[in-house]
Amino acid sequence: FRYTRNLVDNGNGKFNVMILCWGEGHGSSIHDHTDSHCFMKILQGNLKETLFEWPEKKGNGEMTKKSERVLRENQCAYINDSIGLHRVENISHTESAVSLHLYSPPFDSCNTFDQRTGHKHKVKMTFYSQFGERTLC
Amino acid sequence: SLEVLDVSGTGLAELGAELLALPRLHTLLAKNNRLGGPGSLPKGLGQASLGRSLRVLNLSGNRFAEVPPALLGLRGLQSLSLGGNRLHGIPPDIQELRSLEFLYLGGNFITSIPPELANLPSLSYLVLCDNKIQSIPPQLAQLHSLRSLSLHNNLLTYLPREILNLVHLEELSLRGNPLVVRFVRDLTYNPPSLQELAGRTIKTRNVPYARSDLPENLVRYLSLASNCPNPKCGGVYFDSCVRQIKFVDFCGKYRLPLMHYLCSPECSSPCSSASQSSTSQSESDSEDEASVAARRMQKVLLG
């Protein structure tokens, strides 16, 4: 019912390579990247990336949008915590999208942010499948 | 013996009657075409064997300004997508699609949701994002099998408190709605009429009356009393109820504005804590059913 994260390679513990499958209308929360490098390549369809500033320490207002762009097939993007936070979404109501992600070092938890208030919440990230096998939780 | 037919992106302006001659067809994909005018779908779609065999229908990315009545006869349909069309509303007869589990209506111009949508017994995945919806009917909480509800990018300022009753909900998207974050002071309250006050007293104090004691219209009026939604209040109301937004707080991180209907401003809803003030801010969870529901919703919202 939401986008799936499918682990493909865990590079001897140095990185994670995964494929994300986005149905029509699926989007992520605003999130950070736990001090890791994050590369993303669009394999199919289009994904909209919206960049946000980090909220103020005692933030209690709407988060500030920095920029947004639509990434097309084969386009790549990079982000890390010093660049900012982002939300990734498939805004198409007719096409699904597929993206390839590389995270180095690998991480399994991050913070999600409420756009209206800037409040953050730590979440554990889970895989829908790993190396082709469905992961049950 | 064709089972799957994909005519997406072929510029079709109508699907012909030839479709009705495919008894084994269970999946029909016709997205990104020029469908939407009268006669886009063949007549008798529901009466043909297709009415029972078709499971999946994708008409996204077309030009439908209304849900074509022809498809409401597809009693076997499990998945329907009309995303990215030009729909301004959802017909109440959508409830005819008794087998529907997946309904995608994102990216249209829908302004309101008919309560009849809640009569779909198997609906688990409902997408209404990117529309112009201003309010959710409380009846939607009757969709007991609902697991995913997508409401992002609409015009919602609050949600009905009944939303907490969706016990199987695993996903709920609300971003991009102008949800109120502060107590709204100027919600108008229409004080009850004298007739309503008299009616309430008769009902709550069980004042006996016979049909011959009152004019027919008043007898009928008295029969229309509704119980106050607050189970702790024994009160009734007829036409006048108070609308009040109370906030359910999730660990101080996420405040959800929920609309309560009460019989009077003095009546406190089950969601409130012991103190009731007309300038209510966030309510802390108390030990009752509502707090269990709130904790469940917290998991859904915070992931």
Side-chain angles (χ1 to χ4, degrees):
Chain A
F1 292 127
R2 58 200 310 203
Y3 69 94
T4 60
R5 307 172 77 243
N6 303 277
L7 184 67
V8 166
D9 192 325
N10 60 5
N12 287 334
K14 298 295 189 196
F15 60 79
N16 271 351
V17 171
M18 61 190 76
I19 291 185
L20 270 56
C21 299
W22 312 75
E24 295 89 322
H26 284 173
S28 75
S29 56
I30 301 173
H31 57 273
D32 63 11
H33 298 85
T34 322
D35 289 328
S36 292
H37 300 283
C38 301
F39 300 85
M40 165 167 69
K41 175 173 178 164
I42 314 298
L43 299 181
Q44 180 183 303
N46 304 292
L47 289 176
K48 175 173 161 186
E49 181 193 33
T50 308
L51 290 181
F52 289 87
E53 301 278 11
W54 281 88
E56 303 290 307
K57 256 321 184 141
K58 283 290 253 176
N60 218 330
E62 184 90 24
M63 284 175 69
T64 313
K65 233 183 250 194
K66 270 173 54 163
S67 63
E68 63 182 44
R69 57 176 168 167
V70 175
L71 298 160
R72 310 279 174 196
E73 242 169 64
N74 286 322
Q75 264 190 282
C76 292
Y78 169 82
I79 194 169
N80 65 44
D81 282 349
S82 66
I83 292 176
L85 308 167
H86 71 179
R87 183 196 302 284
V88 181
E89 27 181 0
N90 178 12
I91 53 174
S92 173
H93 298 292
T94 57
E95 316 303 326
S96 54
V98 180
S99 54
L100 181 70
H101 296 243
L102 187 149
Y103 300 112
S104 177
F107 58 97
D108 59 7
S109 71
C110 68
N111 292 299
T112 64
F113 296 76
D114 181 346
Q115 185 168 349
R116 289 179 307 152
T117 60
H119 284 144
K120 68 177 189 213
H121 177 73
K122 184 172 172 184
V123 291
K124 277 214 76 119
M125 296 144 79
T126 57
F127 291 112
Y128 184 82
S129 73
Q130 301 183 53
F131 316 111
E133 305 270 330
R134 177 80 173 92
T135 308
L136 300 161
C137 36
Chain B
S1 57
L2 197 61
E3 293 180 24
V4 176
L5 179 60
D6 187 349
V7 291
S8 300
T10 55
L12 284 174
E14 55 180 61
L15 299 175
E18 303 82 39
L19 274 183
L20 306 178
L22 300 169
R24 306 268 306 263
L25 191 69
H26 59 69
T27 296
L28 175 58
L29 311 174
K31 51 184 197 175
N32 298 322
N33 283 303
R34 287 154 49 207
L35 303 167
S40 296
L41 299 182
K43 278 192 175 46
L45 194 57
Q47 289 73 47
S49 64
L50 220 54
R52 275 162 285 114
S53 67
L54 201 64
R55 299 264 169 276
V56 177
L57 177 59
N58 190 329
L59 295 170
S60 60
N62 281 289
R63 306 166 184 191
F64 288 100
E66 57 161 18
V67 177
L71 73 83
L72 296 176
L74 295 168
R75 304 198 154 258
L77 201 65
Q78 289 172 353
S79 166
L80 173 62
S81 175
L82 280 160
N85 276 280
R86 305 171 185 178
L87 302 177
H88 280 82
I90 307 170
D93 285 343
I94 193 95
Q95 62 184 334
E96 307 277 300
L97 296 172
R98 310 298 300 158
S99 309
L100 209 60
E101 294 169 21
F102 175 110
L103 179 58
Y104 192 108
L105 294 171
N108 281 288
F109 304 106
I110 298 171
T111 52
S112 70
I113 304 170
E116 288 80 0
L117 189 61
N119 294 336
L120 293 171
S122 313
L123 199 64
S124 4
Y125 186 65
L126 177 59
V127 180
L128 294 165
C129 62
D130 294 294
N131 276 291
K132 309 278 177 201
I133 300 170
Q134 295 177 14
S135 72
I136 305 293
Q139 292 86 345
L140 226 60
Q142 288 158 26
L143 285 167
H144 293 301
S145 43
L146 202 63
R147 287 172 52 193
S148 177
L149 178 58
S150 163
L151 292 169
H152 58 273
N153 300 331
N154 274 291
L155 301 172
L156 298 171
T157 47
Y158 60 83
L159 299 176
R161 71 170 273 291
E162 289 81 359
I163 200 103
L164 296 181
N165 298 342
L166 287 168
V167 292
H168 292 116
L169 199 65
E170 290 164 20
E171 279 140 35
L172 172 63
S173 67
L174 292 170
R175 58 190 163 81
N177 278 289
L179 294 178
V180 294
V181 291
R182 245 179 274 307
F183 178 71
V184 179
R185 286 174 194 280
D186 54 2
L187 276 184
T188 54
Y189 169 48
N190 290 318
S193 61
L194 286 176
Q195 178 172 297
E196 166 126 16
L197 288 172
R200 289 188 185 191
T201 305
I202 291 172
K203 283 288 170 183
T204 53
R205 294 189 191 222
N206 284 314
V207 174
Y209 63 94
R211 294 184 75 95
S212 51
D213 295 332
L214 298 169
E216 185 58 44
N217 64 313
L218 290 181
V219 174
R220 198 169 44 244
Y221 179 82
L222 287 171
S223 69
L224 296 175
S226 306
N227 289 322
C228 177
N230 178 2
K232 292 183 185 153
C233 167
V236 298
Y237 66 95
F238 293 83
D239 308 305
S240 169
C241 60
V242 182
R243 298 181 341 139
Q244 225 175 53
I245 288 184
K246 291 181 192 268
F247 292 94
V248 178
D249 230 307
F250 300 112
C251 298
K253 295 218 160 48
Y254 201 108
R255 300 180 86 222
L256 206 59
L258 300 178
M259 180 63 86
H260 291 68
Y261 290 86
L262 308 165
C263 66
S264 76
E266 289 73 46
C267 175
S268 60
S269 92
C271 272
S272 67
S273 50
S275 68
Q276 20 150 342
S277 65
S278 57
T279 60
S280 70
Q281 293 87 38
S282 74
E283 314 272 0
S284 46
D285 286 341
S286 54
E287 287 302 317
D288 60 6
E289 269 180 37
S291 73
V292 171
R295 273 197 286 276
R296 191 170 48 231
M297 183 58 75
Q298 173 181 324
K299 274 189 63 181
V300 171
L301 286 169
L302 298 180

